[in-house]
Amino acid sequence: MTRNFHDQFAKHYLSELLGPLGDVIVSREVTAEVRQIDVWFSPGTAPKTNLEFLGLIAKMASTACLIEPFRNPPNWSEVRRCLIKLFAMQGDFQREARREERSVTEDELPRLWILSPSCSENVLDAFGAKVDPEGNWPSGVYFLPAGLRSALVAINQIPATEETLWLRLLGRKTVQQQAVNEVNALPENHPFKRNILEVVANWRISLEISQNLNEEEEELLMNFSSAYVRWREDTLREGRQEGRQEGRQEERQQMVENLLRVRFDSLDEQLSRTITPLLQLSPEELTRLLLTLSRQEIVARFGGESSS
């Protein structure tokens, strides 16, 4: 199976950012021909965090929306496929409203945000994408005609400000590397720093143990290295400061859960049963097995089931 580390990282990363603001569904299927939305977001009635920390991401998530992140700039066909998903979701909204005998306004229909490391003039012209004439959105955000409720975000063109940090982390090359450095430099009490460093570090570990990385995956590995080092140092320091067995055990369990979830996309019942036996191992043995054994081997060895 072809590995797509950026796709998986972006889904987990956006889910972590948007979770406190509302309901997030990763890889949501839509009706008609089976398709999956990379990230579906529905705002909560009472967000669990202050929106200002998320900057431009929070502004995008002010309404129900589809978020489609691309590691490489999308071509015409890929943009059209994103629009098809949007129209399918808008159709679902309208059918549900009819069943409930209520109306849906244009402002209530989902929006589409296509996140790209860059956007060519060819693509922007083909879909009539323009910057916001009223200046309410920064450069790099291009809106398609109003009836489409869609926008292309060229991450390399958005200004390097605190407001755009979380979007720039999904960019490429120097854009992404600068964003990683900015995350590392955030104050220790920042509400998202620890969680995002953990997401980045876990994906960096997943990349590191993989074989035959392509050029793009090598780039991700390099860009995430400093975040991984910072996360590891912070985790070790906090572990030493905690000094209590209960705290260390909870941290180890969280680490095991995160690694299982990153390596195998989800933590289902079978994998959950392996956590307690795994925690009986020494730290060195635990790390080695988590990074090298296949799912089948972990379940067979620690889940109380045969491998057949």
Side-chain angles (χ1 to χ4, degrees):
M1 179 180 294
T2 301
R3 297 186 302 272
N4 190 333
F5 284 106
H6 176 265
D7 182 60
Q8 292 300 319
F9 163 70
K11 291 176 184 179
H12 284 280
Y13 169 73
L14 290 168
S15 179
E16 185 71 34
L17 286 179
L18 295 170
L21 307 184
D23 298 324
V24 184
I25 300 177
V26 172
S27 299
R28 171 170 177 165
E29 292 189 355
V30 294
T31 55
E33 177 186 345
V34 176
R35 303 182 184 90
Q36 284 190 339
I37 297 165
D38 281 351
V39 176
W40 164 255
F41 176 75
S42 179
T45 54
K48 303 173 186 176
T49 190
N50 192 330
L51 300 184
E52 69 181 31
F53 290 116
L54 287 177
L56 198 56
I57 287 276
K59 190 173 182 179
M60 291 165 52
S62 62
T63 61
C65 59
L66 297 72
I67 305 178
E68 297 286 325
F70 284 84
R71 182 61 177 170
N72 297 304
N75 56 33
W76 290 18
S77 294
E78 289 169 326
V79 172
R80 281 193 289 261
R81 283 197 291 270
C82 292
L83 289 169
I84 291 171
K85 296 178 189 180
L86 172 67
F87 298 152
M89 282 303 300
Q90 290 178 343
D92 284 351
F93 260 54
Q94 292 169 324
R95 283 188 291 273
E96 181 179 353
R98 285 196 295 270
R99 287 194 298 269
E100 297 175 357
E101 298 182 347
R102 58 180 176 84
S103 60
V104 177
T105 67
E106 280 295 314
D107 288 340
E108 291 175 316
L109 290 174
R111 279 193 171 275
L112 166 66
W113 300 96
I114 299 175
L115 310 183
S116 174
S118 62
C119 291
S120 68
E121 290 295 332
N122 178 274
V123 168
L124 295 174
D125 290 343
F127 292 93
K130 307 290 184 182
V131 296
D132 176 25
E134 298 181 3
N136 294 323
W137 293 81
S139 59
V141 180
Y142 295 92
F143 289 91
L144 277 62
L148 298 179
R149 293 186 63 77
S150 302
L152 283 155
V153 181
I155 296 175
N156 67 325
Q157 296 181 30
I158 58 179
T161 64
E162 183 178 356
E163 181 186 35
T164 66
L165 170 59
W166 306 108
L167 274 177
R168 289 184 286 114
L169 199 60
L170 292 174
R172 291 201 60 173
K173 299 181 179 178
T174 57
V175 172
Q176 186 178 60
Q177 185 58 65
Q178 179 181 341
V180 170
N181 293 339
E182 290 176 33
V183 173
N184 287 336
L186 289 172
E188 296 304 319
N189 62 350
H190 190 282
F192 282 100
K193 179 176 181 177
R194 180 178 176 84
N195 288 354
I196 295 308
L197 280 179
E198 185 173 322
V199 171
V200 171
N202 284 336
W203 276 104
R204 200 269 184 189
I205 292 171
S206 184
L207 281 166
E208 189 173 32
I209 64 175
S210 300
Q211 302 296 319
N212 302 320
L213 297 182
N214 61 33
E215 183 178 349
E216 293 176 15
E217 292 162 351
E218 290 282 2
E219 179 189 320
L220 274 174
L221 184 66
M222 179 183 68
N223 285 346
F224 288 169
S225 292
S226 63
Y228 167 70
V229 171
R230 180 59 182 269
W231 170 80
R232 184 181 61 187
E233 291 175 349
D234 289 348
T235 300
L236 290 173
R237 183 178 65 252
E238 290 172 8
R240 288 192 297 268
Q241 292 171 347
E242 179 66 29
R244 297 191 326 184
Q245 181 60 36
E246 180 180 352
R248 290 195 297 269
Q249 188 72 0
E250 289 179 356
E251 183 177 321
R252 289 185 75 207
Q253 179 170 336
Q254 186 65 51
M255 183 271 290
V256 172
E257 291 176 355
N258 287 338
L259 279 177
L260 289 173
R261 188 176 290 110
V262 166
R263 286 203 62 201
F264 307 114
D265 289 337
S266 64
L267 187 60
D268 58 22
E269 184 178 348
Q270 277 189 321
L271 286 174
S272 295
R273 285 199 298 268
T274 69
I275 293 174
T276 299
L278 282 166
L279 289 173
Q280 307 309 309
L281 302 174
S282 68
E284 295 78 10
E285 182 73 358
L286 173 62
T287 302
R288 184 180 68 82
L289 294 180
L290 283 175
L291 297 181
T292 58
L293 293 182
S294 67
R295 173 194 168 88
Q296 184 180 26
E297 289 170 332
I298 291 175
V299 170
R301 187 165 172 179
F302 300 99
E305 297 181 4
S306 66
S307 59
S308 59

